[in-house]
Every structure is written in C-alpha cells, then in structure tokens.
Amino acid sequence: MKQEFNVISQIIQNNKRVLDIGCGDGTLMQYLKSNQQNDVRGLEPQKNLVQKCIAKGLSVIEGDAEKELVQFPNKSFDYAVLSQTLQAFLTPEEVLKQLLRIGKQTIVSIPNFGYWKVRLHLLFKGTMPITKNLPNEWYNTPNLHMCTIQDFVNFCNKKNIKINRSLCLTNEKISEITNKNMFYKNMLSQLGIFLIQ
Amino acid sequence: MNCERLKKTAKKGFFAQFSWAFFLFDMNKETKNIKKLIIDQSLELDCGKTIKDFPLAYETYGTLNKSKTNAILVFHALSGDQFVTNINPITKKKGWWTTAVGPGKAIDTDKFFVICVNVLGGCMGSFGPKEINPETNELFATTFPVITIKDMVKAQIYLLEHLGINKLLSVTGGSMGGMQVLQFASLYPDKTYSAIPIACSASHSAQNIALNELGRQAIMADPNWNKGNYFKTNLSPDKGLAVARMAAHITYLSDKGLQEKFGRKLQVKGNLKFSFDADFQIESYLRHQGSVFVDRFDANSYLYITRAMDYFDLTKQFNGNLANAFKKTKTKFCVISFSSDWLYPTKENKEIVIALNASGANVSFVEINSDKGHDSFLLDIPEFLKTLGEFINSNYKEFNNETRI
C-alpha cells in the first residue's frame, strides 16, 4: 500500500464509518476494513474498478462525485476521504462543500504544485511540469484545478474551514506542516494531506 | 402429486386438503410432478381478501448445508417460473436463468442451495387464476383476487419456514424478480444477509404501466378470452396473448440490439412479397416468440401478474420516502443495471441506490455495459455474471463468519 494511504489510515480511528471518494480498486478500503474494523463505503466512476471492489466484498457505488455526493445524508460518515482527486473536478469547491457536509471530518490529499521540481520545470523548461505525481501532458491531464499546499491552506482560511491536521509527504517521508515551516514545506513536499472539518 | 405440507398443522383440515389436491391433480395434469407446498395458514392479501390452503409450486437446486448458510432465493420475472436452471420438465426447454445458475456458474449450485417459487397468480402450479375455486368447482379465472408483489413475497416466507431456513444468504432476481427482492428486503430485513435487485425499479413507471396495459388489452380484445372464461369454451385467447408477448418482447431488447441482429434482413432473400406475411426476419422472430409463449403461459395469469407489477410502488408504501423502506437494514445490497435497458433504465435503479444511501444501508451499485437491453440479465454477459458471482461469494464468506461468531 502506498505511503499516502498509510498516513490516511493512521489518521482514521478504528471502528468508524468512512466514505472513500474515488476509491479506485479499493486498496485503502480493504485495509481499513480488515485492519481497523472501519465500516467503509466507496464511490468510483470507473466500472472495471467498481467491479474489482465488489469482488473483494467492498461496498462501492459506480458514480461521479460531482453528481452523486448529494444523496448522502449530513454527517453520515465519520470521515470522508478524497485522495488526489480534488484537482480533477470541474467544481472542486462544490465537491469539498459536499464532503464537509457528509463527513464529520474530511481527509483531502493534493499533489503539491508548489513542489520545487515543478517550479524549476516551469522556470527553466518553460513547459507544463511533468513529474511522478503529475505524469500527464497538458492536453491529456485530468487535472483541471492544480494548487499548492499554500493555496489549499489559504482556501481553507478564506472559507472558514477548520484544519485539524496538515501533513506532507516527500519521498515516503511524513512530516507535519506548521505556520512556521509552511514556506519550506510548500517547496519541498510532493503531497499535502489535510484533516479538515 | 408431490404435495408437501407444513407439519405443525398437518392434522387440521387433512381431508379438505386431500380433496383440494385431488382437484389440482385432475385439472392440471401437466403440473402434477412438480414440487408443491400447500400453505394452510391464512394470508391476508393487499386487496383485503384472505386466502388459505393454497398451493405454492417451487423448485430447488443444490444442497442446503448443515449450518443453513448457503440458501439463495431467486425470484422470477413476469414470464418466468420456478425452473431456474436445467431442463424445465414442463416446457422441456432450458431453465430461464441457466446462464447464471448451475454447477460452476455465478450462482454455483455445487456450492449454494437455490430456491425458486412460482409466484402467486402464476400458472406453473402455484395459486393462480387457472386453479380451481373450491366454492364453485370452476376455475378462478377473473374471480381470482388481484394480487400484489407484496402478496407474492409474503407467500414465499411460508416455504422458507417449511424448509427450515431462518436467514438466507441472498435474495436475487431481475425485472419483476428485482421488485420482489426490494419488497422482501424491506419486509424481512433480518431474513437475508444480502440482496441483489437487478434491472428493476422501486415503483412502476407510467411507461411500464402503459406497456403492460397494451398487453392486457391485446388479450382482452381476443374474442376467445371470453371475459376470462375461456376454459368453458375450450378456445384460448392465443392471438391476444401472442400479441401481448410480441409487444413486451420488443421492450426487452434495444434499438441497437435489434438493428444488429435483424436489421432489415428478409426471410426470403432478395424479394419483398408485397403482402402482409412476415417479410422481415424481425417479424417472423416476434411471431415465433408469441407463438411459443402461448404454449406455456396462461392469459389470465398474464393479466394478474402485469397488474401486480403495475401496482408495485415501494415508495408509496413508505409515504413517499423510499429510504424508510430500508431503515436500519443490515442487509448488504448490490444493485445492478444495464446501460441499454430502457424498460428499467439505470436512472430508476439508481433511485434505489440513492434511497439505500439515504438510509445508511450497505450498498454497491454497478451499471453493466450491454447492447442487449432489459433482457441482458438473462444473457451470457461475462461482466455481469462475474459481478454477480463475486458479490455472492464474498458474502458467503462473511455470512459464514458471522454465523460462526
């Protein structure tokens, strides 16, 4: 399981209800279900991945978060998880609003566009950055709304979203983001992981 | 006659039932060798009438395990019967769901104990309009009470009691079978571990009611129908029933499926006959579908069962809030729809999913890509059968673990 999922599963307490949005093949769900006794549900737009999840005994609904989230009642999950997908939505702000409504807490991870390699790529090559976390060309990337860790924190502040924890990942290494180290973390991290409500 | 009876009430009304059984034997010779259970408890129907001492015909496949954790109740659709797989002993044709049920299939009869009951109102041995009314010694015909999906489901509980099954591994079925799944899961949330409604709806749409009405009118317009009393004249409304089936059959297919299979292909190559014979292959196909259907189906049954489908409105049963139908249910649901099904489109299946989510139920949903229309659930569509099989298998493990604890 990738390091990001380790971090997310550590944030999630045992025996809680979790909604995994864009759950993929259900790796995180499976882990949470069998190791932390979490009651997990998933939402995934790709049919073949939904079928994989169902085969594993996971409860997953085929559907697009931008349309489907409205059906879940308020605070019906302890955690709503959105891993590296926020930037791919047409209306990320709307999706985030829904997540905060459905989950008592929400875990969001974002690929950091402020990562130094990304910055250098654009500065020196003058073309849209392609990295391990952002492998696509500008014309075929699913990412419509890229942001940096700083952008996301600014957004939460502006919208009065409470950040309970902020973590970052660089080459498998996990660290906390604080107000003091923000400038550096925004430059050195590949991924930001936030627990918000 | 293979009539099985509920033991606890065996003494009561023995003779009455004996004579009842005798009538059945006499009038329905072709159904004499099928498994039947005479329900000698009262069942109050939605229409207000109460029925008692009525037969339920059923079939089982596979073996019930010791812990009774491998039983799956399959509900059949409008034109189906209890003969899910193998050769149907009455029609001598393959069972209606041989693609999904059988040894090594998605619903593996080497592993699971599969039960299917001919619905109330049906014509394959269960209590229906072609049974004898003991009060008049004539067929019920249109004096048979109007039954509902809920009545059908409630009747089947008696069989589960008879078989000693307290909790099923799963209930499943497509189309009207799916409606029964929903009704069952709503009525008896503790009686099944999982539920798989396929290509169905929680309430029959105006389009579906309209199409059923078309079928009924075709039957009733046939002079042989004789207000339902065709048994008196020995002429049956075959033409009406065949037209009903032809119209319905079109709704089970899709535009693309029809175009690919038949297009404008002619029966006799090259020439139009400039007549009203079946020039096109699609015409002769439909005529064939109609004619084979009348051999195995009762016209009055068709009226009653389509009516039951039209009356089905689970949302209304819960005062307009479908989520309340599944309140606090622990049953695991897997809703499956097909992309080209326009009779029970994905949208209607999704409404079930939305309601289940709103009630906090455990639900999976997938729409299977298929060009074959509503009929897809009966066909060999690997993606569908794989999903069905894997969902059941994963539940089997969990259910066994749960019962062990």
Side-chain angles (χ1 to χ4, degrees):
Chain A
M1 194 166 73
K2 57 182 179 180
Q3 185 68 342
E4 181 198 352
F5 287 169
N6 284 325
V7 178
I8 293 174
S9 59
Q10 279 162 27
I11 296 172
I12 293 170
Q13 291 169 6
N14 290 8
N15 299 307
K16 298 282 183 188
R17 273 174 65 83
V18 182
L19 177 65
D20 187 353
I21 295 111
C23 61
D25 68 357
T27 308
L28 176 65
M29 287 179 73
Q30 179 93 319
Y31 181 86
L32 293 173
K33 188 183 171 187
S34 36
N35 298 310
Q36 305 192 167
Q37 293 76 50
N38 292 118
D39 183 6
V40 206
R41 307 292 151 76
L43 184 66
E44 169 58 44
Q46 286 189 52
K47 284 183 204 301
N48 59 327
L49 295 177
V50 175
Q51 283 162 20
K52 269 188 188 170
C53 290
I54 293 174
K56 290 179 187 170
L58 301 169
S59 299
V60 173
I61 293 163
E62 180 189 335
D64 175 356
E66 293 191 89
K67 289 180 198 143
E68 306 291 336
L69 288 175
V70 283
Q71 65 187 270
F72 294 96
N74 293 349
K75 307 294 171 210
S76 49
F77 289 89
D78 295 300
Y79 301 95
V81 178
L82 184 69
S83 157
Q84 297 197 51
T85 327
L86 188 64
Q87 75 283 355
F89 291 123
L90 274 173
T91 52
E93 190 182 347
E94 260 323 293
V95 173
L96 211 54
K97 238 187 223 169
Q98 288 293 337
L99 292 182
L100 291 162
R101 179 186 66 78
I102 297 164
K104 290 175 188 157
Q105 295 193 83
T106 295
I107 299 170
V108 178
S109 74
I110 52 157
N112 179 24
F113 211 70
Y115 184 49
W116 65 272
K117 279 191 186 170
V118 175
R119 298 190 192 194
L120 286 184
H121 189 117
L122 188 59
L123 184 63
F124 290 111
K125 289 198 177 166
T127 59
M128 284 304 281
I130 293 172
T131 65
K132 206 169 85 185
N133 275 326
L134 305 165
N136 298 306
E137 296 277 0
W138 66 270
Y139 49 82
N140 61 12
T141 177
N143 300 327
L144 307 172
H145 298 275
M146 288 306 305
C147 71
T148 69
I149 287 176
Q150 181 72 64
D151 279 329
F152 188 77
V153 171
N154 290 349
F155 169 80
C156 290
N157 291 338
K158 194 172 162 191
K159 299 283 171 187
N160 285 326
I161 297 166
K162 195 177 154 208
I163 303 178
N164 293 336
R165 274 190 87 177
S166 31
L167 297 159
C168 58
L169 257 179
T170 313
N171 297 327
E172 311 284 293
K173 262 188 253 154
I174 313 158
S175 54
E176 294 274 347
I177 305 170
T178 62
N179 280 337
K180 278 183 187 168
N181 69 15
M182 173 58 94
F183 183 80
Y184 306 101
K185 293 295 179 193
N186 192 33
M187 194 178 299
L188 300 174
S189 316
Q190 289 160 325
L191 205 71
I193 303 171
F194 302 90
L195 178 67
I196 56 177
Q197 75 180 99
Chain B
M1 171 139 193
N2 189 6
C3 277
E4 294 182 56
R5 306 178 63 249
L6 289 170
K7 281 176 197 160
K8 55 184 173 186
T9 49
K11 287 174 197 164
K12 196 173 65 180
F14 175 77
F15 289 104
Q17 275 169 36
F18 186 80
S19 58
W20 174 237
F22 181 76
F23 276 123
L24 288 175
F25 178 74
D26 203 21
M27 295 308 295
N28 287 324
K29 282 193 182 94
E30 85 265 27
T31 59
K32 66 182 175 188
N33 285 323
I34 61 185
K35 290 192 187 96
K36 269 186 204 173
L37 175 72
I38 304 291
I39 310 295
D40 50 11
Q41 298 178 51
S42 314
L43 172 64
E44 202 195 324
L45 303 173
D46 276 342
C47 67
K49 287 184 184 151
T50 300
I51 56 171
K52 200 172 180 278
D53 297 325
F54 58 95
L56 267 193
Y58 68 99
E59 188 52 270
T60 66
Y61 305 89
T63 322
L64 185 63
N65 64 13
K66 270 188 188 164
S67 49
K68 297 184 177 180
T69 54
N70 69 336
I72 298 172
L73 180 59
V74 170
F75 298 107
H76 70 74
L78 164 60
S79 63
D81 52 42
Q82 66 272 39
F83 301 108
V84 179
T85 186
N86 297 348
I87 298 295
N88 182 323
I90 309 297
T91 62
K92 311 289 179 211
K93 288 190 175 146
K94 273 189 194 168
W96 57 271
W97 216 11
T98 38
T99 49
V101 184
K105 302 274 174 70
I107 301 177
D108 189 348
T109 48
D110 286 340
K111 208 167 159 184
F112 303 118
F113 180 60
V114 176
I115 311 155
C116 186
V117 183
N118 185 214
V119 295
L120 275 189
C123 50
M124 203 52 100
S126 283
F127 195 45
K130 75 168 189 176
E131 295 292 309
I132 303 278
N133 182 348
E135 284 169 17
T136 60
N137 275 350
E138 277 189 348
L139 297 192
F140 274 103
T142 47
T143 65
F144 191 78
V146 169
I147 36 111
T148 63
I149 299 290
K150 198 174 181 179
D151 298 333
M152 292 175 181
V153 168
K154 278 160 102 178
Q156 299 188 37
I157 282 292
Y158 296 120
L159 177 68
L160 296 183
E161 279 173 16
H162 170 74
L163 296 171
I165 296 162
N166 196 27
K167 191 171 183 178
L168 294 155
L169 166 62
S170 197
V171 286
T172 186
S175 201
M176 186 183 83
M179 297 177 195
Q180 291 173 77
V181 169
L182 296 174
Q183 185 70 72
F184 186 100
S186 170
L187 272 177
Y188 311 109
D190 302 326
K191 288 212 173 289
T192 187
Y193 184 78
S194 64
I196 315 166
I198 304 163
C200 68
S201 164
S203 58
H204 231 210
S205 66
Q207 176 176 264
N208 287 359
I209 297 170
L211 291 163
N212 275 348
E213 174 62 0
L214 172 69
R216 285 190 294 266
Q217 287 301 329
I219 291 168
M220 294 191 279
D222 187 324
N224 286 354
W225 181 63
N226 192 21
K227 294 196 170 151
N229 296 315
Y230 43 89
F231 60 95
K232 287 182 177 166
T233 56
N234 268 335
L235 295 166
S236 45
D238 289 351
K239 289 210 169 108
L241 182 58
V243 171
R245 175 63 171 174
M246 286 166 77
H249 201 83
I250 300 166
T251 69
Y252 305 151
L253 309 172
S254 74
D255 176 29
K256 196 174 174 203
L258 276 173
Q259 198 58 35
E260 272 170 16
K261 192 169 174 186
F262 302 102
R264 294 184 55 82
K265 278 184 243 166
L266 298 175
Q267 273 302 95
V268 183
K269 241 184 176 177
N271 290 319
L272 293 171
K273 285 189 234 152
F274 292 93
S275 76
F276 295 104
D277 291 342
D279 270 335
F280 296 99
Q281 282 186 10
I282 179 63
E283 290 173 307
S284 92
Y285 171 79
L286 283 179
R287 288 182 188 190
H288 173 74
Q289 289 297 331
S291 75
V292 293
F293 188 63
V294 300
D295 291 339
R296 68 177 176 89
F297 217 85
D298 176 54
N300 284 335
S301 260
Y302 198 88
L303 301 180
Y304 277 95
I305 298 176
T306 53
R307 204 72 192 127
M309 294 168 82
D310 291 347
Y311 279 6
F312 184 62
D313 187 351
L314 196 55
T315 312
K316 200 182 160 203
Q317 282 180 36
F318 289 86
N319 299 322
N321 188 352
L322 186 57
N324 287 340
F326 309 108
K327 232 180 185 177
K328 289 183 183 159
T329 183
K330 286 197 172 144
T331 305
K332 279 185 75 176
F333 288 82
C334 183
V335 179
I336 303 175
S337 72
F338 296 93
S339 54
S340 57
D341 185 349
W342 57 274
L343 198 58
Y344 298 94
T346 291
K347 188 178 155 276
E348 287 181 26
N349 287 272
K350 244 183 165 167
E351 275 163 20
I352 303 163
V353 178
I354 290 169
L356 284 163
N357 270 325
S359 69
N362 197 329
V363 54
S364 290
F365 163 73
V366 67
E367 179 199 55
I368 304 289
N369 275 332
S370 158
D371 291 338
K372 309 277 194 252
H374 181 58
D375 254 355
S376 296
F377 80 96
L378 299 168
L379 303 174
D380 183 15
I381 293 170
E383 298 238 303
F384 161 58
L385 296 172
K386 201 167 159 255
T387 305
L388 180 67
E390 287 172 334
F391 178 75
I392 291 173
N393 277 319
S394 70
N395 283 310
Y396 184 44
K397 278 183 215 150
E398 289 177 5
F399 186 35
N400 272 324
N401 288 339
E402 187 191 81
T403 18
R404 245 174 249 144
I405 299 160

